[in-house]
């Protein structure tokens, strides 16, 4: 099943305000967040609720910009971790094999406009 799924992403890894999120680490966090969201809310990712793994995460340029702007510009003074960042995910691949059920996702912005404050 193909659909856009809303995901309020919260980074579990606190980083300094002036740091940029590590892209590979961010992809791992987004994969875990997508599976957890599927499990908690009973939302199917592709054909599975939840799949056993996310094999691939693609972050669109617009989503990367939104994450960076909100990572820095929307963080409250003194807050250690980044704020909740609304994103949308789209499942573009799914399957099942000897390792279990899997999906591949694309990450897109969850808001129509944003800016660094």
């Amino acid at each position: 099943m193909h659909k856009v799924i809303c995901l309020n992403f919260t980074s579990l890894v606190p980083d300094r305000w002036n740091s940029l999120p590590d892209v590979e680490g961010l992809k791992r966090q987004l994969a875990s967040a997508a599976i957890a969201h599927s499990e908690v809310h009973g939302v199917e990712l592709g054909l599975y609720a939840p799949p056993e793994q996310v094999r691939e995460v693609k972050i669109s340029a617009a989503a990367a910009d939104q994450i960076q702007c909100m990572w820095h510009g929307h963080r409250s003074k003194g807050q250690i971790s980044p704020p909740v960042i609304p994103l949308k995910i789209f499942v573009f691949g799914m399957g099942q094999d000897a390792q279990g059920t899997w999906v591949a996702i694309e990450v897109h912005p969850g808001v129509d406009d944003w800016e660094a404050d």
Side-chain angles (χ1 to χ4, degrees):
M1 175 188 270
H2 294 287
K3 62 183 168 186
V4 175
I5 300 163
C6 295
L7 175 70
N8 287 323
F9 174 67
T10 304
S11 176
L12 301 176
V13 181
D15 280 315
R16 295 181 322 275
W17 180 88
N18 61 352
S19 67
L20 288 174
D22 169 61
V23 174
E24 291 307 311
L26 195 56
K27 286 180 178 182
R28 286 189 299 275
Q29 287 187 58
L30 287 163
S32 295
I35 290 175
H37 179 79
S38 174
E39 187 173 298
V40 169
H41 298 287
V43 174
E44 291 180 352
L45 294 180
L47 299 173
Y48 314 106
E52 291 174 276
Q53 63 178 307
V54 176
R55 288 199 179 163
E56 183 177 2
V57 177
K58 293 182 180 182
I59 302 174
S60 71
D65 182 67
Q66 179 188 345
I67 290 167
Q68 287 184 345
C69 286
M70 294 184 86
W71 190 275
H72 297 296
H74 293 236
R75 191 179 299 204
S76 301
K77 183 176 178 149
Q79 182 179 353
I80 295 173
S81 63
V84 174
I85 301 172
L87 299 170
K88 293 188 179 172
I89 57 175
F90 180 77
V91 176
F92 69 89
M94 65 196 94
Q96 183 174 5
D97 57 21
Q99 296 173 345
T101 57
W102 60 271
V103 294
I105 61 173
E106 291 177 342
V107 180
H108 299 276
V111 293
D112 294 333
D113 54 54
W114 62 90
E115 62 182 56
D117 289 340

